[in-house]
Amino acid sequence: MIKLGLTGSIGMGKSTTAKMFAARGIPCHDADAMVHRLYAGRAVPLIEAEFPGTVVDGKVDRTLLSPHVIGKPDAMRRLEAIIHPLVHEEEKTFLQKARAEGRRIVVLDIPLLFETGGERRVHASVVVTADAAIQKARVLARDGMTEERFNAIVSKQMPDHEKRRRAHFLIDTGLGLEAAERSVAAVLRAVAGMV
């Protein structure tokens, strides 16, 4: 079973690209979505113990959590030490299920694939990219996003040019949805021979 690591910085169109793989019948494990579920489940008591006052109505409130960790590397490491092992457990379960179903290709959608060494767990990396101006415009159009938050998030991520350098495959969403769809199809044709 071929494991594709899908990654890209904020605003590059990674979620849209993951949906394109899923629409072609490729199972996708979304690490970000898993974190959201963990923030409403298993991680709640662990995060509340480490960062008191960040849980509301049984869920981690990201707005309350952010000031504890944004721009604070030690606090961010403590948070990641809680979350990353839980996400890896869920990923293993996903892979076991895909194997049992006889899937030939799966996508692991991991925003910090290179930053966390996740490329060692996949056969090939797919980097979703776009021009920096397009990226910034997309992100600043999001509700509640500020330039300061955008810069804080980007500073935590590996620069796009470095991700592109490390990629086995590139999907440029700045060229439009049709071009991205063609790139997804090309990736799947290329890896089909690896199975």
Side-chain angles (χ1 to χ4, degrees):
M1 182 172 69
I2 298 297
K3 291 177 279 186
L4 293 176
L6 180 68
T7 195
S9 298
I10 186 170
M12 293 299 193
K14 184 178 57 57
S15 297
T16 299
T17 303
K19 288 176 188 165
M20 292 176 184
F21 280 102
R24 292 171 178 273
I26 306 300
C28 296
H29 181 269
D30 183 338
D32 259 0
M34 181 53 57
V35 170
H36 282 282
R37 287 195 290 277
L38 290 167
Y39 276 16
R42 294 170 59 200
V44 172
L46 303 170
I47 292 174
E48 179 61 23
E50 188 67 36
F51 304 101
T54 57
V55 172
V56 176
D57 297 328
K59 296 179 182 175
V60 174
D61 185 316
R62 285 176 176 251
T63 308
L64 295 175
L65 180 62
S66 285
H68 289 273
V69 296
I70 298 294
K72 299 176 182 174
D74 288 343
M76 184 60 80
R77 278 192 288 278
R78 292 197 322 270
L79 177 61
E80 290 170 347
I82 294 168
I83 293 296
H84 288 174
L86 296 174
V87 172
H88 290 314
E89 279 180 37
E90 298 292 341
E91 182 184 296
K92 282 181 190 169
T93 302
F94 165 82
L95 291 171
Q96 288 166 350
K97 181 176 185 260
R99 236 179 244 108
E101 292 172 353
R103 301 296 188 144
R104 297 174 57 221
I105 302 169
V106 296
V107 168
L108 299 178
D109 177 347
I110 306 172
L112 299 176
L113 180 76
F114 297 120
E115 294 87 339
T116 60
E119 73 273 17
R120 293 188 299 269
R121 302 194 319 269
V122 299
H123 296 98
S125 58
V126 181
V127 169
V128 182
T129 189
D131 181 77
I134 292 171
Q135 174 196 24
K136 187 172 185 177
R138 286 174 178 170
V139 178
L140 291 179
R142 296 178 183 181
D143 285 342
M145 184 56 70
T146 64
E147 193 146 351
E148 181 184 36
R149 271 191 75 206
F150 169 69
N151 291 332
I153 292 166
V154 169
S155 73
K156 189 177 115 175
Q157 299 178 335
M158 180 180 290
D160 183 56
H161 66 85
E162 178 62 19
K163 287 181 182 174
R164 285 187 274 123
R165 190 186 68 74
R166 293 183 180 204
H168 293 96
F169 301 100
L170 287 176
I171 296 178
D172 189 339
T173 62
L175 301 175
L177 292 176
E178 286 183 19
E181 287 273 10
R182 286 193 299 273
S183 294
V184 167
V187 169
L188 291 174
R189 279 194 305 274
V191 300
M194 297 167 63
V195 180

